[in-house]
Amino acid sequence: MVHSVTLCACLSLLTVLSCHSRVLPRLSFPKGSPGRSLNVFKNPDVYNTTTLLLSSDEGTLFIGARDAVLSIDVSQSDAMTMKEKLDWSPSEKDLADCAMKGKMKMDCHNFVRVLQVLNSTHMYACGTFAFSPRCIYINSKTLSMATGPSGKPEEGRSRCPYDPYQRNTAITVDGELYTGTVADYRGTRPVISRHLSEGSHVDVKLDDTLGWLEDPTFIRSTYVPSEEKVYFFFSETGREYDFIDKLTVSRIAQVCTSDVGGQRTLQKRWTTFAKAQLLCQAGQELPYNILQDIVTLSPPEGSSEDETLFYGIFTSQWQVNLGRSAVCAFSLKDIKKVFTGHYKVLNRDTLKWSTRVQEQIASPGECGLHNASDNTLRFVKDNFLADKSVQPVTQGLTLVSPDKSYSNIAAQRVRGARGRDYTLLYLLTESGFLHKAVLLKNGAHIIEEIQVFDQPQAVKNLLLSVSKGAVMIGSSEGVISVPMSNCSYYWSCAECVLARDPFCGWDPVMKLCTDIHTHDHLVQDVDGGNVSAQCTYVTPRSRSAQSRTLSGEVVSVSLNEVVHLQCPGASHLAKRHWERLNSQLSPKIYIQSDDGGLSFVATPSTLGPYLCQSEENGYTQTLGIYHVKQKSSPTVPPATRNRPHSTPSTEAGIKTSIFTTRLITPTPTEPRTEPDAEVDPTDSPEDSPAASTHSRSFTPSLGTEKQDSRKTELGETHPLTDKPSYFQELVVVSVLLALCISALLTIAFHRFGHFCHSRTVPQTPSSRRDAEKGGSATPQERESLRGHSSRLEKRNGQAPNGQSHAGQAHNGTSPIMPSNSMLNSSNGHLPNTPI
């Protein structure tokens, strides 16, 4: 049993990792990057701009902020300017009463949490108002308070939360307000209710009986006209799972807009309330059970409304999935199927759910039950939890983020160049990045990530303006407008196709990447991103609108110097590698870092050209070209190239006392990298690059220097001026030879003087015999002579570099001449170390 559980866990982990490999953003744009423009609205007197509402023409953005309601002009795509401001602040008495309740002063402001359109002329707003919620009517044209039916601000109880950090949802349908919030100061009485009812409609809410809602966190609500139903999305404690303490589950609940409550049973209470579980799970993995946000995507034109999709962000309370987020999609067709199925039964005495089979008196959730009998309404009152869970479409996860926690989501449908519709998701992370992802058959592809916040934001809101082509993000820092498309960033056909952005296509005539809606017959491949198939006859386009000639960065180095070559990144999905002409990059000599850089020691065999290339989706392009050459020096000239290259082991074994490190990067003319496109085969050879190069402006063409580097690679020699000189070494050898001769002459004179002295001293026959035997000297004289001899040997028997003459004689070399092994270890050159 343990082995099977372990195997399932491993398979689940492999599945998760395989999903993670597909969700890496292709491009990243830090905040302030010139490659991605943002429009920001900030006002020093405005805080917490989190509640957003667009006008019907999407030319005005209404913002519910702290103690104010604003109107912002967003008709221009590149600017946001404030039009009007409505102050709505609590009085000093309200603030004092809030402080007496033990609340912090910062939380006692009026945070606008509900902002909805009532009709063509008025809006309806509700705020926390110092923990005493209130609501007002607002004239949309003048942004001023309007008089309501009561003639004064209305109480916001059951319409707006008391606590500004309590989540809620609200939506207006035909002038009536449907809300999901809490109805008390402590936040322990959740309620789904309808307000501002007119005509035969009355305000209705949930029954006060326990079991309808279990400590919910309301997320969002939406209206489906064909069903005449309002759907509420929230998370709550799943009481049906009584074997797990406080298990959180995600829910969808429904009410009919025609519901007016029962005549005797459930008077002014919902008779059509029903709820079901949303199950975001893949295979046998633990489910992502906590709903963070959800958005409604309408079906394509001409399709049934059953094709409406709901994309939700889910996190998990399980330790194995902490820090991850999953996106699941649910269809309206599956939701309707669950609500028309069987229901669980709630025991009111024990508050336990069961699935026992019983006679079905009515269909819970069915509209029109307000005229039903009391027996039918009692059945509906105890049977409102659907037995089955709503499964995601394709029975799996739409997207999984391995290391990002998503908080908000928006979705839209975009028609590509070939008439096919693609779904785009905009996902806001807790850390302040916006991910733009396109959903494909083989998984999600994140086109780019854009940093929109400097610091993580506790409360955020996401809103799309399709007509303006912008994503509106509200936070405590202000409102940020992000353009949906960024086609002008891609300056080549290859990059335009590899981006796989449904908004963008390559124009082969204008030689630019442009918006798909402005031109016809554009080159695009969102599904496959196949560059070779789409860009065969497309010429590159640089910023100067001229084809770029082959050039590179000249890197002048000294021998034994550590060289670093930097490779610019094309995208996070590309694999970078280095190449040399007719040479392999041995790992014993070259070190390739994770950021794409290449490091090595400059030797005669490592000089020459280097190419940094990237491979993405089967397409290879050159990002940088470097020509490493030796510096010209009068004392230590460059080595000749016609000598044989040293072996890798010899180069790896070169030892130097000092290494100088250089970081070589191309000098950009623009603030971002711009990979070039492939070459038009119709271009002339002198104008077309031999390989796609990076769009940085390198050092001008190398000319003869580049030709010389190519000659040396083929074994040709340099001119006579490049031949090495051994003048310094010759002077050193001459000096050492003179010193040795002087030492030998000194020893010879000394020995000759001693011999003459011994001849003049009279000796006895016995002493002469002892001298002939070598034993005439006294012990003190022998000790003195031995010490003198050892000093001479120590003086004359040691070479200047620390090696003995005997060892050098053994090698057959002079003590002042380099050996053959030294020549081999330096490629035929004397060492450059001073003696």
Side-chain angles (χ1 to χ4, degrees), residues 424-426 434-437 445-448 484-485 501 503:
L424 279 176
L425 300 182
Y426 302 92
L434 180 66
H435 285 191
K436 175 183 172 182
H445 169 67
I446 300 183
I447 301 170
E448 57 186 349
M484 293 177 177
S485 62
D501 190 339
F503 282 115

Side-chain angles (χ1 to χ4, degrees), residues 415-555:
R415 178 152 296 182
R418 300 177 182 177
R420 179 183 171 185
D421 290 334
Y422 295 95
T423 299
L424 279 176
L425 300 182
Y426 302 92
L427 303 161
L428 191 62
T429 69
E430 293 285 357
S431 57
F433 284 84
L434 180 66
H435 285 191
K436 175 183 172 182
V438 58
L439 303 183
L440 306 174
K441 291 182 180 180
N442 58 348
H445 169 67
I446 300 183
I447 301 170
E448 57 186 349
E449 68 172 358
I450 309 143
Q451 185 180 11
V452 292
F453 299 136
D454 293 324
Q455 300 295 331
Q457 303 292 304
V459 181
K460 304 173 288 294
N461 197 1
L462 201 61
L463 187 65
L464 289 186
S465 175
V466 178
S467 63
K468 304 300 179 182
V471 183
M472 309 288 185
I473 305 172
S475 71
S476 59
E477 291 186 0
V479 180
I480 300 175
S481 176
V482 183
M484 293 177 177
S485 62
N486 192 29
C487 302
S488 60
Y489 178 81
Y490 309 107
W491 286 84
S492 70
C493 178
E495 284 296 307
C496 191
V497 172
L498 288 173
R500 303 169 79 173
D501 190 339
F503 282 115
C504 304
W506 181 259
D507 190 333
V509 178
M510 300 296 297
K511 305 293 188 302
L512 54 83
C513 191
T514 184
D515 196 301
I516 203 71
H517 301 295
T518 59
H519 297 80
D520 296 330
H521 310 294
L522 298 182
V523 175
Q524 185 188 73
D525 188 5
V526 178
D527 296 290
N530 193 335
V531 176
S532 59
Q534 302 297 328
C535 302
T536 305
Y537 299 103
V538 179
T539 58
R541 177 183 186 269
S542 63
R543 292 187 180 274
S544 60
Q546 296 177 357
S547 298
R548 211 181 294 110
T549 58
L550 182 61
S551 61
E553 181 78 8
V554 179
V555 182

Side-chain angles (χ1 to χ4, degrees), residues 91 165 266 472 821 827:
S91 64
Y165 302 103
L266 296 178
M472 309 288 185
S821 60
N827 293 306

Side-chain angles (χ1 to χ4, degrees), residues 695-716:
S695 61
R696 297 175 183 260
S697 180
F698 296 112
T699 304
S701 182
L702 302 180
T704 58
E705 294 179 349
K706 181 167 61 180
Q707 296 175 3
D708 292 340
S709 64
R710 293 182 178 177
K711 291 180 180 180
T712 55
E713 291 295 326
L714 297 176
E716 298 183 21

Side-chain angles (χ1 to χ4, degrees), residues 267-475:
Q267 287 187 2
K268 293 186 178 181
R269 301 293 187 267
W270 294 112
T271 63
T272 58
F273 175 80
K275 65 180 182 180
Q277 180 181 356
L278 294 174
L279 188 60
C280 183
Q281 186 179 18
Q284 300 300 319
E285 295 180 17
L286 291 172
Y288 292 83
N289 55 327
I290 304 176
L291 181 64
Q292 299 293 330
D293 195 15
I294 198 165
V295 67
T296 305
L297 183 63
S298 301
E301 295 182 9
S303 302
S304 171
E305 202 157 24
D306 288 348
E307 303 300 323
T308 301
L309 295 177
F310 303 93
Y311 287 93
I313 297 174
F314 295 81
T315 56
S316 177
Q317 72 180 104
W318 312 108
Q319 186 69 28
V320 69
N321 289 329
L322 287 181
R324 300 191 184 118
S325 296
V327 177
C328 283
F330 306 92
S331 68
L332 180 61
K333 179 181 179 180
D334 294 336
I335 293 173
K336 290 167 58 177
K337 183 178 180 180
V338 169
F339 277 131
T340 55
H342 296 285
Y343 281 75
K344 298 180 185 296
V345 180
L346 178 64
N347 188 329
R348 290 291 178 182
D349 297 331
T350 62
L351 293 180
K352 300 292 185 181
W353 292 94
S354 64
T355 57
R356 69 176 185 270
V357 179
Q358 63 177 7
E359 182 183 359
Q360 187 169 346
I361 300 176
S363 298
E366 183 180 355
C367 297
L369 293 178
H370 52 277
N371 293 323
S373 62
D374 293 343
N375 189 30
T376 300
L377 294 179
R378 280 193 293 269
F379 176 84
V380 171
K381 186 177 179 179
D382 296 335
N383 298 263
F384 55 85
L385 177 60
D387 185 41
K388 300 293 184 182
S389 300
V390 182
Q391 300 288 335
V393 295
T394 68
Q395 303 298 314
L397 309 179
T398 302
L399 184 147
V400 177
S401 174
D403 55 355
K404 300 288 187 180
S405 295
Y406 292 132
S407 59
N408 299 79
I409 185 173
Q412 72 172 139
R413 187 171 279 106
V414 179
R415 178 152 296 182
R418 300 177 182 177
R420 179 183 171 185
D421 290 334
Y422 295 95
T423 299
L424 279 176
L425 300 182
Y426 302 92
L427 303 161
L428 191 62
T429 69
E430 293 285 357
S431 57
F433 284 84
L434 180 66
H435 285 191
K436 175 183 172 182
V438 58
L439 303 183
L440 306 174
K441 291 182 180 180
N442 58 348
H445 169 67
I446 300 183
I447 301 170
E448 57 186 349
E449 68 172 358
I450 309 143
Q451 185 180 11
V452 292
F453 299 136
D454 293 324
Q455 300 295 331
Q457 303 292 304
V459 181
K460 304 173 288 294
N461 197 1
L462 201 61
L463 187 65
L464 289 186
S465 175
V466 178
S467 63
K468 304 300 179 182
V471 183
M472 309 288 185
I473 305 172
S475 71

